[in-house]
Every structure is written in C-alpha cells, then in structure tokens.
Amino acid sequence: MLDCLLVLFIMGMDRTIAGWSEKQRLLFIERLLYWRGSINRRDLCEHFGISLPQATKDLVSYTTLNSGACQYDVRRKCYVAAAKMQTVLREPNFSEDMEVVGAAMRDGLEFGEFVLGGSRPRRVADLALHRKLSLAACNQECVEAAYWSVKSGSSETRWLSPRGFGFDGLRWHVRAYCHRSELFKDFVIGRFQTVGRRKPCLFEDLVDVDWLETETLTFRPNPELSKHQRTALEMDYGMESGRLQLAVRRAMRIYALRRLGFVQEPLEPPMLNELQQLEWFGRI
C-alpha cells in the first residue's frame, strides 16, 4: 500500500514539474515573439535542451493559447508575430524580458552582444554567512556577529536580530535590530566577518516603522533648464504634468535617492541631483 502511495506521490510531482516547465517554455515563446518578432524550434531547443518534436508541440500549444498572435512563415521557417500581438501569459516587462531576448540573439554576436548590462564591482560575501542571516531572520532568532564598520574603522562584535533584506542596486543589506544601539539599522552583508552564536530573539514584538511605512518622493526637472530640456526629462522619466512621484519604503529612501544621483548630505528636499537635472522638492 505504501509503495502504491509513493508511486502516486512521485507521479503527482512529475505532473507539477512538467506543468511548470511547459509554462516557462510558453513564456519564452511569448517573449521572443513580442520583442523579437519571430521564433523557431531551434530557439527552444538551444535554450531549454529539448527535442525538436517537443519544441514543435510547444509552438503549436502557444498558437492555440494565443490565437492570432503569430503565424508560420514558410519562407523563413519560423513563426512571425502579428503586428498587433497581445500577450496572454504575462505583461511585457522590457528590463526583465531583454535578458531572455539577448540570450536568444546569438546570430549577431559578431557585431557585439545584443544586450549589455552596466559594469559594477562584485560584492563578495560568504554564502554560509548569507544563510545564517537568512535562517535567523526567518526563525526570529538573534545572532552574534562581527561587523566591520566604515564609520568607526574597526570590527565590532554585537548581537543583531535580522528582520529582512534589501538590495540597493549594488549590494545586499540585512535589516536588523541592533541590541547595542537599541534601534533598527541596515548592515551591508559584505562587511560581516563572522556570524556565530544564535539564540531566540527577545525583541520579536518590536515594530520597524521605517521598514513598514511608505513615503512618496516628488521630483521635477530643474526649473532653470530650458523648456526643451525639461520636456526631454519629462519624457525620459515618464512624468505626468511635469512631476515624477516615486513610492518607496522609508528604510529604502536613501538608496532610491542615491540611484537618482542625490548624494549630498543631508538628504533633504529641496535639492538638485548630481547632474543638475532633477529637483527633489517634496515627500509625503
């Protein structure tokens, strides 16, 4: 009886995995059709390592799922997207989808990569250290950690209660309650030397207000720029009525401002960013 139940359980897992895998392939088809305008069986075979018959089946499945989205071009031997194609699996996201399209655009490599990302320093931290912080945060524990402070210029051991994680575009932070300072702080994970002893957290009921509260930052083009320059910035940032409103968690506000070029201290409106293009003039 147990053997039968085990077989049924494994079969159920296979069906779930197969369903997920098929969805990823269909999403790949949709992305290439929408952004590149065409797809063939080779694209699927090379990206997923599947057979030609399976690729054919997936393409037929997508044409059934999204009728009128594409048609087969006998001369080009590929499926070509309709001029007014609409997506049905996911809303198009240029930033995310370009990674997939770039990987599929292998034929033009002699002219350089199709998609290039920005160069940035590689922030290094031990995976075992990452895991200890994550486990502590998920299990509401506190940890004893040796952390190198740039401000003090020394390594200091303290007890922390990790709560969550944030990425500022360059590095990962752990949001934690510092038992010594008695407040919530951001700690750059790459600056931890050790994460050692763990114990139950005595501060699980404390609320990190800055982590929960949302603020709206308001920007506009520098008023001293010409009308045409302001128009270009309004288009670039998708402003409405000459205003850009950005909702951020209060704890992440400093990182959002730095990415927009606001680096002076103190970070308070009104002020211009480094390029003298954007003016931050309010927050709600």
Side-chain angles (χ1 to χ4, degrees):
M1 180 66 178
L2 288 175
D3 289 342
C4 292
L5 290 174
L6 181 59
V7 170
L8 289 173
F9 175 72
I10 293 174
M11 290 175 64
M13 288 184 63
D14 288 342
R15 282 196 296 271
T16 301
I17 294 172
W20 180 86
S21 299
E22 182 183 8
K23 183 176 180 180
Q24 299 309 303
R25 297 196 301 270
L26 294 178
L27 183 58
F28 177 79
I29 293 171
E30 184 169 84
R31 281 169 161 166
L32 256 63
L33 282 172
Y34 187 84
W35 294 109
R36 194 176 73 176
S38 65
I39 188 171
N40 56 37
R41 294 188 302 171
R42 187 187 66 178
D43 292 318
L44 284 161
C45 293
E46 291 184 355
H47 192 81
F48 294 100
I50 60 176
S51 65
L52 287 172
Q54 180 62 60
T56 300
K57 181 180 178 182
D58 291 334
L59 287 164
V60 171
S61 295
Y62 186 77
T63 58
T64 303
L65 178 69
N66 193 3
S67 178
C70 61
Q71 61 181 7
Y72 188 75
D73 187 317
V74 178
R75 182 179 59 84
R76 296 172 58 185
K77 296 183 180 179
C78 66
Y79 283 87
V80 178
K84 296 183 178 180
M85 175 190 170
Q86 298 293 319
T87 60
V88 293
L89 294 176
R90 185 180 296 177
E91 284 292 320
N93 183 309
F94 187 78
S95 297
E96 293 178 3
D97 296 347
M98 273 299 105
E99 294 185 19
V100 176
V101 176
M105 291 290 289
R106 295 186 177 93
D107 293 339
L109 289 183
E110 62 268 25
F111 302 108
E113 297 288 342
F114 186 71
V115 177
L116 288 177
S119 298
R120 62 184 61 179
R122 181 171 176 264
R123 302 300 178 114
V124 180
D126 184 7
L127 283 178
L129 189 149
H130 278 88
R131 184 169 186 263
K132 288 178 181 179
L133 292 172
S134 178
L135 289 173
C138 292
N139 293 288
Q140 295 187 332
E141 295 176 324
C142 56
V143 293
E144 186 180 37
Y147 184 77
W148 195 277
S149 171
V150 173
K151 189 173 184 179
S152 67
S154 62
S155 178
E156 303 170 343
T157 300
R158 67 186 82 196
W159 281 92
L160 303 173
S161 295
R163 286 290 184 85
F165 298 87
F167 185 66
D168 64 8
L170 284 175
R171 58 195 181 178
W172 280 97
H173 303 253
V174 58
R175 183 74 172 179
Y177 182 77
C178 178
H179 298 199
R180 187 178 64 189
S181 303
E182 297 185 340
L183 50 82
F184 287 99
K185 292 183 175 182
D186 294 342
F187 295 89
V188 179
I189 296 181
R191 296 179 189 163
F192 282 94
Q193 290 184 302
T194 61
V195 176
R197 292 182 294 165
R198 300 191 311 183
K199 64 182 181 181
C201 180
L202 301 177
F203 305 99
E204 64 268 17
D205 293 332
L206 289 178
V207 177
D208 185 356
V209 177
D210 286 350
W211 187 260
L212 298 176
E213 294 293 329
T214 299
E215 291 184 348
T216 300
L217 310 180
T218 306
F219 307 89
R220 65 186 174 193
N222 182 351
E224 295 185 6
L225 295 176
S226 70
K227 179 180 179 181
H228 296 302
Q229 290 173 319
R230 294 197 305 270
T231 298
L233 289 170
E234 289 171 9
M235 294 173 61
D236 188 19
Y237 287 95
M239 295 184 182
E240 295 183 5
S241 302
R243 301 289 184 270
L244 169 65
Q245 291 192 317
L246 182 65
V248 298
R249 293 295 177 94
R250 190 181 299 163
M252 298 295 289
R253 177 182 64 211
I254 186 172
Y255 309 117
L257 289 168
R258 284 176 178 171
R259 293 190 73 178
L260 287 171
F262 294 91
V263 295
Q264 299 175 16
E265 296 292 344
L267 278 174
E268 293 292 339
M271 66 182 299
L272 294 174
N273 67 356
E274 285 183 308
L275 296 177
Q276 305 291 298
Q277 293 180 343
L278 285 180
E279 181 184 32
W280 172 34
F281 68 96
R283 68 185 187 193
I284 302 174

